[in-house]
Amino acid sequence: MTEKEEFVEELSGLLEDNATELKKQWVKEMTEMGLLEKLSSLEIEQQSTAIYDTCVLTIKTGMYEAAKKYAREMAKKGVLEAMTVDQIIMGMLKLRDVYGRFIFYKYQKDVEKLYKVLGVYEPVANRILSIVALAFVEEREMKITDQQQAMLTLSTPVLQIRDQILVLPLIGTIDSARAAQIVEQLLNSIVDTQASVVIIDITGVPIIDTAVANHLIKTIQAAKMLGADTIITGISPANAQTLVTLGVDLSMMTTRGSLRSGVKLADEMLKLVVMEKR
Amino acid sequence: MSEDKLPVKNESDIISVRSFGRNLAANAGFGIVDQCRITTAISELARNAVVHGGGGSVTIKTIQNDKKGIEIIFRDEGPGIVNLELALKGGYSTVGGLGIGLSGAKRLMDEFQITSSAGKGTTVIIRKWLK
Amino acid sequence: MEIPILKIEDFLIVSFQTELSDDEIDKLREDILDKIKETNARGLIIDITALKIVDSFMARSLSSIATTATLLGAKTVVVGMQPAVALTLVELGLRIKWNIQTALNLERGINLLREALKSEKDVVYE
Ligand SMILES: Nc1ncnc2c1ncn2[C@@H]1O[C@H](COP(=O)(O)OP(=O)(O)OP(=O)(O)O)[C@@H](O)[C@H]1O
Ligand SMILES: [Mg+2]
């Protein structure tokens, strides 16, 4: 056993032996700082035991896996929901203080040994703190990515305005990732709602280039294969001019100037069927 | 990482090869639409190997470097494609087909490599990556 | 494998249920066309709800069934195509060659045919 290993064993042994007392001290100090206000005493007991044990285990084994796993779980649960990130990190700092002061107290007679034990303790304590902080940052980043994904879906709502009519108002720039997502969403909506006319309103799309035009044509054709007709509304004169210049065949599309006239046309298309029935 | 070499000698092989491909694609985590793209590309190229190449083999496997994906290799020792450029452009068929098999499979996949020489046969490699 | 061809009113209805091999598709086409002649059907509905893939061979077969059936006096509607299949077919490059009538489901397909036949009759009466 190396000298360092000896210290590790001695230190973790000390922390284990004095667990009850040190934990009590820690909880007391956190309570005084008002960090645990919203927790029940059972929660305090469970969480402090779990955190305390994880820290001792990490010091003992030098393996951070358990600490990482625990920190991730804490972060995911929004920890104890009732605590803010600030409170959690303050709590961890407090635990570091409690351990630290205990070590000072134990080795006050032997400063040389104190330094060596601190040499084992400090890096582990710092590392645990950075793991906890990181877990929270990562959790937050993951939430943001999820939200962005949700926004992407939200930004292209498919609206059912009549029994068999869907309206898809497109807003903003359309890159190919978004275009692919829109096409899939629209086709699924057609089947889900059994809509026979789809109006795609592109008033809110600033630039229509060949790529966007191709996506539109693709959408129209796939919708047609399902059995639904598509009307494109809101092509500005400038955009129409660009499309023609680019060589896009506008005759492949049924177009109307405004969303209103598009809806009117859709009604007519459906009414045509109704009238024939008589 | 699984790898399987399957024969494509006749029409019923086309069905087994493409359902094998669909399963592998589904297990690799591809969504419904990508599964459909991959299966359709397999169907086109497997049929080409049977109809034009006189039969051959197909290797299907998942691949992984920094991304994960699926790779399918079609090999035959048939007559080869005489006019490769034309065949890839689409709309060209020596058997009165639509001529969309090769060009269409290329569009459906992320990567498409073809080598073909007269009298020696044809090899097509296609890949699709998980996004 | 035998695929049933049902008759409802003046129409024939065929549901493609499984993955069909090229041979089976060819045989099915023959059966359908024979049945149209035999029954003098005025319409044909092909239900492909169960198909998870339509490649160029299947598409070409559907297209040729539709064209021939129409020549024999039966208007053809393909119903129930899956969204993923439609998207894949378009990307495959079929956009130019697909000229078949489509409807979302069997019911809409039947309505479509009924109306088409009715307006034909109206023309005859006038
Ligand atoms: N494996 C092959 N061996 C030899 N020739 C081939 C092979 N694959 C394709 N070809 C040639 O390339 C042409 C184009 O192939 P492609 O798959 O695009 O169309 P096709 O098979 O003729 O019709 P389909 O639209 O039904 O696929 C074929 O007509 C054939 O001449
Ligand atoms: Mg082919």
Side-chain angles (χ1 to χ4, degrees):
Chain A
M1 215 190 257
T2 66
E3 192 189 40
K4 193 182 160 200
E5 281 166 348
E6 269 170 42
F7 287 134
V8 168
E9 196 164 273
E10 189 177 317
L11 177 61
S12 49
L14 265 177
L15 295 177
E16 269 169 346
D17 293 344
N18 297 279
T20 324
E21 188 193 322
L22 288 175
K23 216 166 59 190
K24 213 184 259 162
Q25 179 65 23
W26 176 41
V27 170
K28 182 170 159 265
E29 291 192 28
M30 283 201 292
T31 313
E32 279 166 12
M33 288 174 73
L35 294 177
L36 304 176
E37 262 160 17
K38 296 203 177 113
L39 298 180
S40 71
S41 51
L42 180 70
E43 279 174 320
I44 293 175
E45 174 59 26
Q46 283 173 344
Q47 294 300 329
S48 62
T49 305
I51 293 172
Y52 189 97
D53 291 349
T54 309
C55 288
V56 174
L57 185 74
T58 308
I59 293 171
K60 199 168 168 179
T61 58
M63 312 247 268
Y64 294 95
E65 282 319 308
K68 274 185 193 151
K69 186 161 164 270
Y70 188 73
R72 236 178 273 139
E73 274 167 22
M74 280 207 306
K76 185 142 277 141
K77 274 192 244 139
V79 185
L80 325 168
E81 313 231 302
M83 284 172 95
T84 63
V85 178
D86 178 50
Q87 286 174 318
I88 285 151
I89 293 187
M90 286 303 282
M92 295 304 293
L93 284 167
K94 204 72 257 149
L95 182 59
R96 198 187 59 168
D97 292 347
V98 170
Y99 284 156
R101 258 182 277 146
F102 175 71
I103 293 171
F104 270 108
Y105 171 77
K106 274 283 162 199
Y107 296 102
Q108 55 187 328
K109 303 265 162 54
D110 186 349
V111 175
E112 202 172 315
K113 197 156 182 207
L114 172 66
Y115 266 69
K116 285 188 176 148
V117 174
L118 282 179
V120 173
Y121 167 70
E122 281 169 346
V124 181
N126 290 343
R127 187 73 225 270
I128 290 178
L129 269 167
S130 89
I131 285 174
V132 171
L134 200 71
F136 279 96
V137 173
E138 278 174 355
E139 181 61 25
R140 187 137 309 177
E141 272 172 3
M142 243 160 73
K143 274 225 182 79
I144 292 173
T145 325
D146 284 354
Q147 277 165 358
Q148 276 173 343
Q149 192 57 44
M151 289 261 289
L152 199 65
T153 320
L154 267 183
S155 67
T156 48
V158 181
L159 313 168
Q160 182 167 21
I161 60 158
R162 301 253 205 290
D163 191 22
Q164 291 188 35
I165 306 178
L166 294 181
V167 172
L168 178 78
L170 292 183
I171 296 160
T173 334
I174 299 179
D175 58 12
S176 55
R178 189 163 167 230
Q181 187 250 336
I182 293 170
V183 177
E184 281 187 37
Q185 199 187 335
L186 182 65
L187 296 180
N188 284 325
S189 304
I190 290 173
V191 172
D192 290 346
T193 63
Q194 300 282 295
S196 39
V197 184
V198 177
I199 303 169
I200 303 180
D201 182 63
I202 57 171
T203 315
V205 183
I207 302 161
I208 310 276
D209 53 11
T210 24
V212 176
N214 278 330
H215 278 298
L216 282 178
I217 291 172
K218 206 165 104 175
T219 310
I220 295 168
Q221 280 158 341
K224 184 76 211 159
M225 286 188 175
L226 298 181
D229 289 311
T230 310
I231 302 166
I232 309 279
T233 62
I235 303 184
S236 67
N239 272 333
Q241 191 58 48
T242 323
L243 289 181
V244 173
T245 320
L246 288 169
V248 175
D249 185 1
L250 284 176
S251 71
M252 310 258 313
M253 303 181 184
T254 307
T255 56
R256 281 295 177 274
S258 67
L259 181 56
R260 234 181 87 189
S261 46
V263 174
K264 207 172 140 224
L265 175 63
D267 280 343
E268 277 166 22
M269 286 161 79
L270 289 173
K271 224 174 269 152
L272 210 68
V273 179
V274 178
M275 268 163 56
E276 272 178 15
K277 259 188 191 158
R278 271 197 275 127
Chain B
M1 222 161 280
S2 56
E3 166 159 356
D4 284 87
K5 188 169 173 174
L6 308 162
V8 268
K9 304 278 178 234
N10 52 48
E11 287 166 4
S12 61
D13 288 342
I14 300 175
I15 294 185
S16 34
V17 163
R18 73 187 186 203
S19 65
F20 184 90
R22 180 186 285 272
N23 284 338
L24 200 66
N27 288 338
F30 284 101
I32 301 280
V33 180
D34 273 342
Q35 286 175 35
C36 194
R37 290 185 177 114
I38 293 166
T39 317
T40 306
I42 294 177
S43 192
E44 294 300 333
L45 297 173
R47 180 172 290 103
N48 278 357
V50 172
V51 174
H52 309 299
S57 70
V58 179
T59 310
I60 305 182
K61 63 182 175 190
T62 50
I63 44 175
Q64 176 133 35
N65 38 41
D66 45 332
K67 305 176 278 188
K68 192 176 176 192
I70 191 168
E71 180 186 84
I72 305 128
I73 306 174
F74 304 80
R75 287 193 192 85
D76 70 61
E77 275 149 31
I81 302 173
V82 184
N83 197 333
L84 193 56
E85 202 183 323
L86 213 56
L88 283 174
K89 239 176 73 186
Y92 165 86
S93 173
T94 53
V95 294
L98 298 175
I100 58 174
L102 278 180
S103 57
K106 188 175 173 183
R107 265 193 299 274
L108 290 174
M109 303 299 286
D110 292 331
E111 288 174 32
F112 180 99
Q113 293 159 11
I114 183 166
T115 44
S116 185
S117 51
K120 290 231 182 75
T122 303
T123 301
V124 184
I125 304 177
I126 53 175
R127 292 188 197 94
K128 192 158 200 81
W129 303 104
L130 273 172
K131 304 262 151 45
Chain C
M1 83 155 294
E2 201 64 43
I3 291 186
I5 304 172
L6 309 176
K7 184 147 193 277
I8 292 181
E9 297 170 20
D10 269 350
F11 319 130
L12 297 183
I13 299 174
V14 192
S15 295
F16 285 20
Q17 283 304 344
T18 41
E19 296 240 40
L20 297 165
S21 75
D22 299 2
D23 280 343
E24 287 167 332
I25 298 174
D26 284 339
K27 159 128 197 328
L28 188 57
R29 184 181 51 216
E30 296 304 316
D31 290 352
I32 293 172
L33 298 178
D34 284 349
K35 193 88 172 210
I36 292 174
K37 276 184 268 183
E38 193 186 304
T39 61
N40 282 316
R42 306 288 313 279
L44 168 67
I45 296 175
I46 304 176
D47 182 0
I48 59 167
T49 311
L51 291 190
K52 287 204 273 181
I53 160 182
V54 172
D55 62 3
S56 68
F57 186 86
M58 176 63 97
R60 195 164 60 230
S61 305
L62 287 173
S63 181
S64 104
I65 293 173
T67 316
T68 326
T70 308
L71 286 176
L72 293 174
K75 285 205 155 49
T76 307
V77 184
V78 169
V79 304
M81 188 185 285
Q82 296 297 323
V85 171
L87 194 51
T88 302
L89 269 181
V90 170
E91 286 172 4
L92 187 67
L94 206 70
R95 53 180 92 178
I96 335 115
K97 329 269 177 176
W98 182 270
N99 49 7
I100 312 173
Q101 275 270 25
T102 42
L104 277 157
N105 54 38
L106 201 58
E107 197 192 323
R108 297 266 174 89
I110 291 176
N111 283 341
L112 205 81
L113 286 180
R114 274 189 192 140
E115 276 141 28
L117 290 190
K118 213 174 219 165
S119 55
E120 259 178 30
K121 274 185 200 144
D122 287 349
V123 175
V124 177
Y125 285 133
E126 267 165 18

